[in-house]
Amino acid sequence: MTGLRLALETSGPVGSVAVADASGVRARRFLTERNRHAQVLPSAIDAVLAEVGAAWGDLTAVAVGVGPGSFTGVRVAAATANGIAHALDCPVWPVSSLAAAVLASEALPGSTAPWPVDHGGAAPGRRRVLFDARGDRLFTAVYDVGAGALIEVEAPRFARLSDVLTRPAADVFCGDAAVRHRDVLEGTGSRVLDPPAGVPTADGVLAVWARSPGEPVAAGAWSPSYLRETGAVRARDET
């Protein structure tokens, strides 16, 4: 089997793995056990490969959600993607987890997801994605979703809710932080989309790759997108 692509996304509470070929996504698994992505990710990859009758050596590329999101979750996907790419001498396509989330839309019939997911049919328009970073802090980006295209209007960044409200850039919001701050956002006349809209998954990573592929990179030649300093880095710099 040739032309098989693997996608990984573990930036959020629920991680996911998918394999796809030229015909589309062939198999997927969701990692629903919180804080155990590192332990269950290898077996999930084994499972999707077995489902399509493939082996690890059949993979020709890896696409990975690079964050932002859970610091540990982002590291898990990054380390796994780099390890596979190095072992198989195949390229890596880093994809923003915010971009992957913006393509989530309607239910996928027969999905085994903990919620229904379809990343191919996002309604056209401009959307701001908000990921929760605790309190009024969040990760955000703005995208134009069009027929077969995804255009980054505002690059992923770390922000506070007040900053987003003064620079709206879009009147449609999605993501877990948008749901958490629904009352405030809807009070400004904006629309908040419910999950699965705004949920990053491996399907979404593949959808971004298809719409806006960018350039592949070699294993280890890229960095996860944390968008903020870790507590360890802040403590180091303050000493």
Side-chain angles (χ1 to χ4, degrees), residues 1-6 19-24 26 57-61 209:
M1 182 175 295
T2 60
L4 199 64
R5 298 164 289 173
L6 174 70
V19 288
D21 58 19
S23 66
R26 298 280 307 281
D58 293 318
L59 296 172
T60 57
W209 187 5

Side-chain angles (χ1 to χ4, degrees), residues 64-165:
V64 57
V66 301
S70 160
F71 179 75
T72 300
V74 170
R75 283 194 304 170
V76 167
T80 303
N82 279 330
I84 294 171
H86 180 76
L88 301 180
D89 192 25
C90 68
V92 177
W93 264 267
V95 170
S96 169
S97 298
L98 289 161
V102 82
L103 291 184
S105 59
E106 301 171 355
L108 180 66
S111 173
T112 57
W115 49 72
V117 175
D118 173 14
H119 293 275
R126 181 166 293 186
R127 296 184 183 183
R128 180 181 285 281
V129 193
L130 302 179
F131 283 0
D132 193 7
R134 298 185 181 180
D136 69 339
R137 296 169 294 183
L138 42 85
F139 305 116
T140 184
V142 179
Y143 299 91
D144 275 339
V145 179
L150 182 69
I151 300 172
E152 182 183 280
V153 176
E154 181 182 296
R157 63 189 177 94
F158 178 71
R160 292 186 180 273
L161 181 61
S162 57
D163 182 33
V164 169
L165 294 175

Side-chain angles (χ1 to χ4, degrees), residues 43-67:
S43 60
I45 298 173
D46 283 335
V48 293
L49 290 174
E51 184 173 330
V52 300
W56 286 75
D58 293 318
L59 296 172
T60 57
V62 182
V64 57
V66 301

